[in-house]
């Protein structure tokens, strides 16, 4: 039997657990920079980057070469058993990139969830407290503690019972739903009054730009106010930049544009160009409160991933990826704002740099989840891969590699425009 999208889909359904989702019913055969080919030979423009992992594109030649070179030396020793230079070099590079004064230190992990949980462990050790405040719309991962902090029950926690305790939920600012900075800060003060005293809270964890939550950007003043509140109460402020980091927003960390510095920065995804690497960076005084053996893991900071990360960091400098993020963001935003004039279903176009979301609503102001799914499907049929997001599944996310060819970016946006014009034609009595 030949291997096709259709045959593989049925093999997948028989062999792979149902809980592992699949956004598109096609299977990858190969990819290059901003394009993917499926196993039926269809070509797609990639506006997903494997969920914001490929800021430097699929198979950047420098990343490929660095990994191949490392394969000629060794693949694994476990850094906790026999360390190697590339791990140390990645930490040095990230320490230098992290905003704020003073001596920084970094610990490496494999996944964002693992890094997020490690940041909480560091905050707990530092404060000798155990509570955490996370936000509505947050996404911090699927492992149990990360899931407890993730602000969306279905589908992530459906049927799994209650998540680990001592996580309290504050409101993330959301202009479209009338939650301003004061309301968000007020919701933290409410937690202090109703649920947990500040002296029991180890950390406040937030995304400077919520990714899975539908590209919600922290408004001006929010991070500075969080910073002041954490200083007042002795709470560790953790910025989860797993999705917003590694240059996507036009600065290496999004929080650099937000007027205040967190104690701990969590990074992952694009930092290693597709190899699994994540980490936590912060002041040495905070990072070093965990004793030897308290952080790490068998594969944490794997040599192939470290080699890839060093290549990615070089590419970011040499190819001016931060400026490129701003350019890609500007082009995308301009086109989307023009589409918003034509298609009333587009309720909002928002983002920072090249991390951009398009929120879709029905004429009566409800989240247009069906329309969003239809757009994702019809764009795929036209050769453009998109991802939906948002608490209500009604936000299209623009996540093209930052190395996207500008004509490919424009071609992708034209496909999206065509799909809008087909699906959003005014039809009497039918809007979504
Ligand atoms: N934090 C954020 C902000 C994320 O976007 C994600 C992944 N989407 C994670 C944490 C979890 O990362 P991983 O899937 O690598 O565990």
């Amino acid at each position: 039997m030949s291997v096709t999208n259709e045959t593989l889909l049925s093999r997948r359904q028989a062999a792979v657990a149902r809980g592992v989702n699949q956004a598109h019913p096609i299977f990858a055969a190969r990819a290059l920079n901003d394009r993917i080919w499926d196993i039926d030979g269809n070509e797609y423009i990639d506006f997903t980057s494997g969920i914001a992992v490929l800021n430097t594109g699929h198979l950047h030649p420098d990343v490929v070469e660095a990994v191949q070179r490392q394969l000629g030396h060794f693949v694994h020793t476990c850094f906790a058993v026999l360390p190697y230079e590339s791990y140390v070099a990645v930490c040095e590079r990230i320490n230098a990139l992290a905003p704020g004064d003073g001596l920084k230190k970094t610990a490496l992990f494999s996944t964002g969830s693992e890094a997020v949980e490690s940041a909480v462990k560091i905050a707990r050790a530092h404060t000798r407290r155990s509570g955490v405040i996370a936000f509505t719309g947050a996404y911090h991962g699927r492992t149990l503690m990360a899931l407890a902090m993730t602000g969306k029950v279905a589908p992530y926690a459906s049927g799994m019972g209650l998540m680990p305790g001592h996580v309290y939920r504050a409101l993330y600012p959301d202009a479209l739903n009338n939650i301003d900075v004061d309301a968000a800060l007020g919701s933290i003060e409410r937690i202090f009054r109703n649920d947990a005293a500040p002296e029991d809270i180890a950390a406040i964890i937030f995304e400077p730009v919520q990714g899975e939550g539908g590209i919600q950007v922290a408004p001006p003043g929010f991070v500075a106010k969080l910073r002041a509140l954490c200083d007042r109460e002795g709470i560790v402020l953790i910025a989860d930049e797993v999705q917003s980091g590694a240059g996507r927003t036009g600065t290496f960390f999004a929080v650099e544009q937000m007027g205040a510095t967190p104690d701990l920065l969590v990074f992952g995804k694009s930092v290693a160009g597709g190899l699994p690497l994540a980490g936590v960076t912060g002041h040495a005084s905070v990072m070093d409160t965990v004793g030897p053996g308290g952080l790490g893991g068998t594969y944490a900071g794997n040599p192939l991933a470290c080699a890839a990360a060093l290549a990615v960091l070089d590419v970011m400098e040499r190819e001016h990826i931060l400026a490129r993020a701003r350019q890609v963001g500007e082009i995308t935003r301009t086109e989307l704002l023009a589409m918003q004039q034509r298609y009333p279903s587009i309720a909002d176009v928002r983002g920072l740099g090249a991390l951009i979301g398009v929120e879709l609503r029905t004429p009566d102001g409800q989240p247009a989840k069906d329309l969003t799914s239809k757009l994702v499907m019809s764009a795929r049929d036209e050769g453009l891969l998109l991802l939906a997001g948002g608490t209500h599944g009604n936000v299209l996310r623009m996540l093209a590699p930052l190395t996207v060819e500008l004509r490919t970016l424009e071609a992708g946006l034209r496909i999206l425009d065509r799909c809008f014009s087909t699906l959003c034609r005014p039809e009497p009595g039918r809007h979504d």
Side-chain angles (χ1 to χ4, degrees):
M1 193 167 64
S2 67
V3 179
T4 63
N5 285 323
E6 203 183 323
T7 60
L8 257 190
L9 198 59
S10 63
R11 275 172 58 196
R12 184 210 139 98
Q13 273 154 2
V16 179
R18 207 166 60 98
V20 182
N21 204 14
Q22 178 173 348
H24 293 285
I26 55 175
F27 289 78
R30 64 192 175 90
L32 194 63
N33 191 23
D34 46 22
R35 280 159 200 270
I36 296 187
W37 289 264
D38 72 10
I39 54 168
D40 289 354
N42 301 308
E43 181 178 332
Y44 302 92
I45 295 170
D46 185 10
F47 274 17
T48 73
S49 290
I51 321 188
V53 171
L54 296 156
N55 286 356
T56 52
H58 291 274
L59 290 185
H60 192 291
D62 295 13
V63 177
V64 172
E65 198 203 314
V67 173
Q68 277 169 345
R69 208 177 322 118
Q70 183 58 39
L71 274 171
H73 299 308
F74 57 91
V75 171
H76 178 79
T77 59
C78 183
F79 189 77
V81 176
L82 205 70
Y84 34 88
E85 186 189 354
S86 56
Y87 185 118
V88 179
V90 171
C91 294
E92 289 169 345
R93 298 279 293 267
I94 300 285
N95 292 342
L97 287 165
D101 305 326
L103 181 68
K104 314 276 175 31
K105 286 201 175 181
T106 293
L108 300 180
F109 305 95
S110 302
T111 68
S113 307
E114 207 187 345
V116 156
E117 296 206 1
S118 298
V120 173
K121 284 163 56 181
I122 295 165
R124 287 173 64 129
H126 185 68
T127 57
R128 307 263 161 198
R129 306 170 179 178
S130 48
V132 176
I133 294 177
F135 287 93
T136 48
Y139 185 88
H140 297 297
R142 279 190 176 81
T143 52
L144 217 53
M145 181 63 190
L147 186 50
M149 299 189 296
T150 289
K152 186 173 176 180
V153 174
Y156 306 129
S158 294
M160 297 170 197
L162 298 176
M163 291 297 122
H166 306 317
V167 175
Y168 303 93
R169 185 87 41 209
L171 296 173
Y172 196 85
D174 177 353
L176 220 54
N177 288 307
N178 301 318
I179 302 168
D180 63 11
V181 169
D182 288 341
L185 267 292
S187 71
I188 300 179
E189 301 291 354
R190 190 202 60 73
I191 290 170
F192 292 158
R193 280 196 308 278
N194 296 165
D195 301 316
E199 54 270 25
D200 288 321
I201 300 296
I204 296 180
I205 184 166
F206 75 104
E207 293 158 86
V209 183
Q210 289 190 332
E212 306 302 310
I215 319 297
Q216 298 285 359
V217 184
F222 180 57
V223 182
K225 285 189 174 166
L226 278 183
R227 176 71 276 170
L229 184 145
C230 286
D231 288 342
R232 189 188 80 200
E233 304 295 352
I235 293 169
V236 171
L237 184 60
I238 305 173
D240 178 350
E241 294 239 21
V242 168
Q243 186 154 161
S244 58
R248 169 63 49 185
T249 67
T251 45
F252 191 85
F253 291 107
V255 83
E256 290 171 57
Q257 300 173 57
M258 295 182 174
T261 308
D263 298 296
L264 297 177
L265 278 155
V266 186
F267 58 91
K269 292 198 187 261
S270 274
V271 82
L275 276 91
L277 191 76
V280 184
T281 297
H283 267 274
S285 59
V286 181
M287 292 295 292
D288 278 344
T289 36
V290 177
L295 299 172
T298 306
Y299 298 112
N302 170 269
L304 297 178
C306 286
L310 292 173
V312 164
L313 294 170
D314 286 344
V315 167
M316 287 191 67
E317 279 177 21
R318 208 174 39 251
E319 296 186 17
H320 309 290
I321 294 293
L322 298 181
R324 186 81 181 158
R326 294 190 283 271
Q327 186 187 23
V328 167
E330 215 32 65
I331 294 170
T332 308
R333 190 185 319 271
T334 306
E335 292 296 322
L336 291 171
L337 287 171
M339 287 183 221
Q340 189 179 21
Q341 299 300 310
R342 292 196 291 278
Y343 311 116
S345 308
I346 301 182
D348 200 15
V349 175
R350 56 178 179 253
L352 192 66
L355 186 51
I356 297 177
V358 183
E359 176 156 347
L360 305 175
R361 295 211 170 178
T362 60
D364 55 355
Q366 298 306 307
K369 186 173 184 212
D370 286 354
L371 173 63
T372 311
S373 315
K374 281 181 193 151
L375 279 162
V376 170
M377 277 191 285
S378 62
R380 182 180 60 243
D381 291 344
E382 300 281 324
L384 172 68
L385 296 179
L386 287 171
L387 268 183
T391 307
H392 305 288
N394 64 325
V395 179
L396 290 172
R397 291 192 278 168
M398 303 292 125
L399 290 168
L402 302 176
T403 51
V404 61
E405 298 275 344
L406 295 187
R407 61 171 191 278
T408 310
L409 178 66
E410 276 151 13
L413 290 165
R414 271 199 304 276
I415 292 176
L416 182 59
D417 194 343
R418 273 207 304 279
C419 295
F420 268 115
S421 76
T422 310
L423 289 168
C424 299
R425 242 185 333 224
E427 282 180 60
R430 193 171 178 288
H431 301 291
D432 182 12

